[in-house]
Amino acid sequence: MKVPAWVKGVIDLLLIVVFIIVGLSGIALYLAPSGKIAKMIGWTFLGLSRDTWINLHVYFGLIMIGLVVVHIVLGFNRMVAMLKSAFKNS
């Protein structure tokens, strides 16, 4: 299956954007106080509550899993060819 280069580029770009969101939400959750304390003091990070950061982290994490699967499927033949040549040379 021949996939246009722009499709792979779009997948890669989406992966980068989703990775940044998941990373930022992970940092926000690491810095966040526990659930009850965060609600009591009205904690926010970049204007978003702890519950919103949790939702972002989970949903974008699931999106990232899907994009990684698509990325691997699209590049599987190339990966197999590189591994074959690497082991053939050694």
Side-chain angles (χ1 to χ4, degrees):
M1 173 170 101
K2 183 71 173 162
V3 179
W6 68 268
V7 172
K8 293 180 182 180
V10 168
I11 297 293
D12 290 347
L13 182 62
L14 289 172
L15 270 171
I16 291 168
V17 171
V18 170
F19 175 79
I20 291 169
I21 293 170
V22 170
L24 185 62
S25 63
I27 292 168
L29 292 172
Y30 179 77
L31 297 174
S34 67
K36 288 183 180 180
I37 296 172
K39 287 182 182 175
M40 278 180 18
I41 64 173
W43 181 88
T44 62
F45 181 69
L46 298 177
L48 301 175
S49 69
R50 184 176 189 276
D51 291 336
T52 304
W53 283 112
I54 290 172
N55 289 335
L56 281 172
H57 194 71
V58 170
Y59 293 129
F60 278 91
L62 293 171
I63 292 168
M64 181 183 261
I65 290 170
L67 287 170
V68 166
V69 168
V70 171
H71 180 78
I72 290 172
V73 167
L74 292 179
F76 189 75
N77 290 337
R78 178 174 278 173
M79 180 183 67
V80 169
M82 284 190 277
L83 287 172
K84 282 182 182 178
S85 70
F87 285 113
K88 186 185 288 186
N89 292 338
S90 59

